[in-house]
DNA sequence: AATGAATGAGGGTTCATTCAT
DNA sequence: AATGAATGAACCCTCATTCAT
């Protein structure tokens, strides 16, 4: 299960540098608009090293996905199995966890959520779909538990709920520049603003989901 | 497909064909991965026509944005000025309107929401930002009205609410393939499935937003 | 002998406009770097008119040569046949005549003297060679007369002498910008400077040629 | 051909091959009419190598100018500082030197003297102007010396004199084909004819300049 | 008689990749 | 193990020209 480790120990320092440069550049410009030359330069390595290490540009992206995909299973799996916390507490932790994960790895999530290339690379599609399925399943399980314990009403479409959470996060992060103006936060540093948004998002999403899960049937 | 075109801005039939092919191809593959040759072929025209009509690949994308944006202003503006409907009814219409608009023009929204190229094309950025600002403003106005009339609580972050709506829509549409499996709807035609999702989304989003806007303060 | 007339009466106003724009543009940028679109635009006509009127870009250049080549035969021919003037006077008139002709038609002479394209267009080569031969012949005849009348020594290479005259003129005109600085004449208008150079050139060339033709044998 | 190369400026064999092919082709057809594909083929290299080595077509021309210019400074500078030779002898050497230099590098001089493109490439303009200025200055210095030593009259326009020399050379070389016929030298090889012209030009130009510089004031 | 629309060919350049070392 | 050199393919765009009207 090497591919699930956040950091593959087989990668040398240079290889990691390439992967990080890849992530950043593709997140910024897209896969097709990022040339291997640009990536190599950003990583401070020779152009030929990319083919040499990863085989091809496509396989480089593949390696990035293997490298990045899911550092979270452990956390969430533990959350599900926890018997002390009540469903509301679990929901809050879930939301917090997703907000942090997405903001901390925004570059990668951008690639995963909007890069058309990944649909045409089978190995990546496989990984991505498996991850989505797993995440979807865990959320469903958590909500099922809340519903069976009568904490949550069962009028919400759980499948859509996950998209509400992820979609909100993506949309907000994608429009961070714009929101910075809206919130009149131009004076904040990137980090300060990021932290502010992080908190706002946690509150907002927990509030939204809680409301949706507990609202009286109309 | 033509019924989705807001209006013809003095474009000839061939030019429209190019714009539609552009939209479809870029939505599918991204701007950088869509060559003008591919676009020309998809539109059934000679490659040189694209430069001839639009000047360059970049200006072609620009023309697409001018062509697509601003189809909705009228509807929503009328909604805001309506004095008969109550805020809940207005909210429902708003949600319905956005769901339909996004699903009907999904290809374009995909481009607008995920194409890195558009941030580097100033004319497009300008158009897009103006549109976002307008949309944001209208939603805020609607919610303000609901709050001032005591229909809505005022604990919701309106700026984030818009992203919840748009983000949910984008996320769902982006993962339509996956949801088709989840909903065990493989037997439905594209159109049937689209209509089903359309209704589910309307219900889900209205429910979510209503819950968020009316939930008791915790 | 229509083609020898400085202005072909068969050319309409528009055709002449095209020819003049052609001359100016090709003199400035060269044949290959001047697109028919640019020429058409400079002439204020439709692009297709050039093919329509002249057949092709190549034939347009051909037409320009026919249009321009030699308005001087008459003058010089008369000069040669003149029996009143002595060879020195004739030489001075010859020089004056060439200086004026070249400066007045510099754009065309630039094309004729440096455009590689004309060597590959047979019709033009033919015209140009015939003209050169004629000019060479006339100069030789004039000098022969001066030598046989013992005004000139006969130690000068007449074939090279013509190149000295034409080469000096071309070189000076080609480097007019540079000479304007050398002569500290930046304050002069183009016309004033042109006239100054015209006079300087007449004096210089007559002086040079006279000296060469009369110098004692060393 | 290689013996004409002033010196290798850290260029590889392949790069030199490209430069020489560039020179020859542009001298023959002009800059705009010489495609990089043609140049690459003439140099026996892949098309992409030109961008790879020189960056662009424009920079290739730039490189050619850097490569070619400044081969003569040393010789002439030494001539000026020579205290043994009298001004006439110096003049003869100067003429000889320019004749040889231009004939040996005729392709390059053609480009420099007639290529419209070079005026629009600032780096080249700079180099060319500096060279012209230097040459002009050296000739002036030589003539000044002759005048101050009373070898030369001072009635000649030195600025124009340089153009007489260079212009004659250019004009003769440009019309070599034509002169071959005039001189009835079709039976000579290119080299034989070249050598003949070289000698004729040396004699002619020295004779012209000497006559001009020594003629009694009229 | 005159022209906007349209096109195949070729322009310079960049691409991901491979090769020789 | 690592890389500078090299390449064929494809990129976007402009070209001179033709065609239908």
């Amino acid at each position: 299960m090497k591919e699930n480790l956040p950091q593959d120990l087989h990668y040398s320092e240079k290889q990691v540098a390439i992967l990080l440069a890849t992530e950043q550049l593709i997140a910024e410009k897209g896969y097709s608009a990022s040339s291997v030359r640009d990536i190599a330069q950003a990583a401070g390595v020779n152009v030929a090293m990319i083919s040499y290490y990863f085989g091809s540009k496509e396989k480089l992206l593949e390696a990035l996905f293997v490298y990045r995909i899911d550092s979270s299973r452990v956390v969430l799996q533990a959350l599900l199995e926890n018997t002390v916390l009540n469903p509301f507490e679990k929901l809050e932790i879930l939301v917090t966890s997703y907000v942090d994960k997405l903001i901390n790895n925004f570059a990668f999530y951008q690639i995963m959520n909007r890069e058309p290339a990944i649909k045409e690379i089978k190995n990546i599609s496989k990984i991505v779909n498996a991850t989505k399925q797993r995440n979807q399943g865990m959320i469903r399980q958590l909500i099922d538990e809340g519903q069976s314990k009568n904490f949550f009403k069962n009028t919400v479409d759980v499948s859509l709920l996950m998209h509400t959470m992820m979609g909100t996060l993506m949309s907000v992060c994608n429009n961070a520049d714009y929101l910075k103006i809206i919130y009149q936060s131009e004076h904040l540093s990137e980090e300060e603003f990021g932290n502010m948004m992080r908190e706002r998002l946690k509150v907002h999403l927990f509030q939204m989901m809680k409301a949706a899960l507990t609202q009286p049937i109309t």
Side-chain angles (χ1 to χ4, degrees), chain A:
Chain A
M1 302 201 183
K2 188 181 10 169
E3 71 272 16
N4 291 329
L5 302 180
Q7 197 161 319
D8 190 312
L9 299 174
H10 289 96
Y11 285 141
S12 72
E13 207 169 318
K14 252 178 198 175
Q15 289 171 311
V16 172
I18 293 171
L19 287 174
L20 294 181
T22 301
E23 181 179 59
Q24 188 163 345
L25 219 56
I26 294 184
E28 188 186 337
K29 301 191 168 195
Y31 175 77
S32 292
S34 303
S35 75
V36 289
R37 263 174 193 73
D38 291 342
I39 293 171
Q41 193 181 358
V45 303
N46 185 282
V47 206
M49 285 196 75
I50 287 179
S51 292
Y52 181 66
Y53 277 143
F54 298 96
S56 70
K57 190 185 177 187
E58 203 173 288
K59 284 192 185 144
L60 171 62
L61 187 62
E62 214 175 300
L64 175 65
F65 271 77
V66 171
Y67 180 71
R68 277 294 188 214
I69 277 279
D70 87 332
S71 50
S72 64
R73 173 151 42 165
V74 184
V75 175
L76 288 185
Q77 200 58 44
L79 182 66
L80 287 174
E81 289 160 5
N82 182 299
T83 54
V84 177
L85 299 168
N86 72 40
F88 284 121
E89 291 164 334
K90 287 190 180 181
L91 182 66
E92 188 166 13
I93 292 174
L94 177 97
V95 167
T96 295
S97 164
Y98 270 104
V99 170
D100 285 335
K101 198 170 96 175
L102 192 137
I103 289 184
N104 291 342
N105 300 283
F106 180 53
F108 180 70
Y109 275 87
Q110 260 187 310
I111 299 173
M112 190 169 66
N113 276 285
R114 76 186 193 190
E115 186 51 68
I118 71 172
K119 294 200 175 161
E120 299 184 5
I121 304 179
K122 282 195 179 159
N123 286 338
I124 297 182
S125 288
K126 229 183 295 174
I127 296 173
V128 170
N129 284 337
T131 305
K132 282 181 181 169
Q133 198 162 356
R134 182 153 37 75
N135 284 337
Q136 174 81 277
M138 286 191 293
I139 292 177
R140 186 175 301 278
Q141 193 178 335
L142 192 151
I143 290 175
D144 280 350
E145 184 196 341
Q147 286 172 338
S148 67
K149 289 183 178 170
N150 273 2
F151 281 78
F152 302 155
K153 299 269 190 301
N154 58 358
T155 54
V156 155
D157 187 324
V158 180
S159 303
L160 298 186
L161 202 61
M162 190 181 79
H163 291 288
T164 291
M165 183 171 68
M166 299 305 283
T168 300
L169 281 166
M170 285 305 301
S171 186
V172 165
C173 290
N174 274 325
N175 293 279
D177 289 350
Y178 187 67
L179 281 163
K180 201 167 188 176
I181 299 170
I182 295 280
Y183 286 126
Q184 301 178 314
S185 305
E186 291 94 335
H187 62 286
L188 296 181
S189 72
E190 278 308 302
E191 199 187 342
E192 288 169 332
F193 180 68
N195 287 331
M196 187 193 84
M197 289 313 300
R198 201 184 291 258
E199 293 316 310
R200 279 183 188 272
L201 276 166
K202 286 174 183 173
V203 170
H204 174 77
L205 281 175
F206 179 56
Q207 202 176 335
M208 289 289 297
M209 294 182 80
K210 192 175 157 192
L213 287 164
T214 59
Q215 70 180 335
I217 302 171
T218 50

